Amino acid sequence: MGNREALLAAAKRCLYQNGYPRTTARDIAAEAGVSLAAIGYHFKSTEALLNAALIDAVQDWGDEIARAVAEPPEEGQNALERFEATWTRLVDVVIRHRRTWVASFEFLAQVDHVPQVREQLAAGMEQARYGLARMLHDLDPVRDGAEAWAVGSFYQALVTGVMAQWLVDDERAPSGRELAQALESIMSTVVADVETSAQG
């Protein structure tokens, strides 16, 4: 592993251990076993290195999310059971990647100061939006357009909200089963309202 790769890996570990605003150049250099000058040589600045490390970490997390979502359903599962199984796996990803999520939230507080990284994260968010729509509802961004965008945005909001709840209060954050129960209740209310409107 060269110095550049060692610095990037070390910066990711420091992000998990210390968080975005508390990681220093000395922390990263010491973790990587290289000189402070190596940061400037390979990345120009500590901020640039941290931003690259965060994007890399979020990509790692995104890949794991994609694997969790793409896992084929068990034979005979209905839609609600598939929803529960999928969100149980996603909650597990959040738990196992807690430090990545914390670092991501810390970065969001700084995002207005680093527009180039904001643009990269926005592009990644758009990909994730359509990816969730495709994997969870077989919606294609070209074929299904606005519907794919809307459904993907809904799932993205749910992921972010569930993540926040698990970070703040993991004892009372919702499980996959509880999310499925909530969806069933919401669906029942919507169906009842539609039926009542149709009768009226």
Side-chain angles (χ1 to χ4, degrees), residues 108-188:
L108 288 176
Q110 313 292 326
V111 74
D112 283 342
H113 307 296
V114 279
Q116 70 279 15
V117 178
R118 181 180 185 175
E119 291 170 8
Q120 288 179 283
L121 290 178
M125 189 175 288
E126 188 75 346
Q127 286 182 327
R129 179 180 289 126
Y130 286 118
L132 287 167
R134 181 182 292 108
M135 289 184 285
L136 292 171
H137 276 273
D138 194 28
L139 294 173
D140 182 83
V142 176
R143 182 191 68 219
D144 302 300
E147 184 183 4
W149 185 92
V151 170
S153 296
F154 171 80
Y155 277 119
Q156 199 168 54
L158 189 55
V159 169
T160 304
V162 170
M163 169 194 70
Q165 290 183 64
W166 274 93
L167 291 181
V168 172
D169 186 359
D170 58 5
E171 292 185 0
R172 289 176 288 190
S175 65
R177 175 177 292 276
E178 289 163 334
L179 289 168
Q181 290 170 340
L183 179 61
E184 185 175 27
S185 177
I186 292 167
M187 288 166 54
S188 296

